[in-house]
Amino acid sequence: MGVLDLIPDDPFPLVYAFRVLTLVGRYGSGKTALAVLYARRLIAQGYGAYVAANVPIDLPVLREYDSRPSELVHAVYIYDEAWQDLAADASVKAVKAHLAYLRKRGCYLLLASVLPLTRFLAGFPVLSFAFAVPGAWHVRFWNWRVGLGKLSQWGWCVESIRPAYGLYDSSYQPDGRWWLYDPSPWRGYSTDEWAQRRQVHLPQSF
């Protein structure tokens, strides 16, 4: 094994390749924080017009919903405690409601859960919390894997969740409500300019 073999892989490209990422681990492991950071990274790189989340985020609110909005386009979804809809016993109908037409709608789905999720997500990328660094608890080691059986690939990565401090309300307990956010502060220019650059049409309202 050489020195280069010790350098952790970056699983982030799997997010925009598969459009779905599950983050699992114990309570307080940084799952939601990392989901928020990945969402911000997607937005900063031009992969979304909006952010939709079931946790309060420090971004301008465009609209509030009583349940997950399924009609959005070009949105990055952050679903905290995703086991509420996608637990191991979730129906095929429930899974389809979340995964159907993500590519056609230009959406991405980041799922954070302390409990195992449905087997129907088995072929999508998973980030599993491994351990934190003693004395620097914001530094977390994660194991990532994607694929099934002999076709699976896996690796390790190191992520600091410190940049997520202050970006969202980490004490909030999801209660079914969702918010649609304007992530212009994350990308540095307006959503209208984003649409012009990407040459896409955005609905006037949802």
Side-chain angles (χ1 to χ4, degrees), residues 2-169:
V3 175
L4 292 179
D5 294 321
L6 300 176
I7 299 176
D9 300 300
D10 181 7
F12 180 75
L14 296 173
V15 181
Y16 54 75
F18 285 82
R19 295 184 180 269
V20 178
L21 176 68
T22 300
L23 300 102
V24 296
R26 62 168 173 76
Y27 294 104
S29 60
K31 302 178 299 296
T32 308
L34 190 54
V36 170
L37 291 178
Y38 272 28
R40 186 175 68 167
R41 193 169 168 184
L42 282 167
I43 292 297
Q45 294 185 12
Y47 286 101
Y50 308 103
V51 169
N54 65 336
V55 292
I57 297 178
D58 188 21
L59 288 172
V61 176
L62 298 174
R63 183 174 173 181
E64 182 176 336
Y65 301 83
D66 293 329
S67 60
R68 189 186 71 87
S70 59
E71 71 276 17
L72 301 180
V73 296
H74 302 292
V76 178
Y77 286 90
I78 301 172
Y79 193 173
D80 192 24
E81 306 300 349
W83 55 265
Q84 295 177 352
D85 280 335
L86 297 171
D89 60 351
S91 67
V92 174
K93 182 178 180 180
V95 175
K96 287 182 177 180
H98 287 273
L99 301 186
Y101 309 118
L102 285 177
R103 183 190 63 80
K104 291 185 177 181
R105 292 189 287 114
C107 293
Y108 299 84
L109 182 60
L110 304 172
L111 305 166
S113 180
V114 71
L115 299 178
L117 298 183
T118 172
R119 60 184 176 84
F120 297 111
L121 290 167
F124 292 97
V126 177
L127 265 181
S128 301
F129 171 76
F131 60 91
V133 177
W137 295 107
H138 61 280
V139 178
R140 311 291 167 90
F141 279 76
W142 302 79
N143 169 257
W144 64 264
R145 67 181 186 276
V146 62
L148 295 170
K150 294 183 179 180
L151 299 178
S152 296
Q153 296 184 17
W154 66 277
W156 293 89
C157 66
V158 180
E159 300 280 1
S160 171
I161 62 171
R162 176 173 288 175
Y165 295 172
L167 292 183
Y168 76 106
D169 185 352

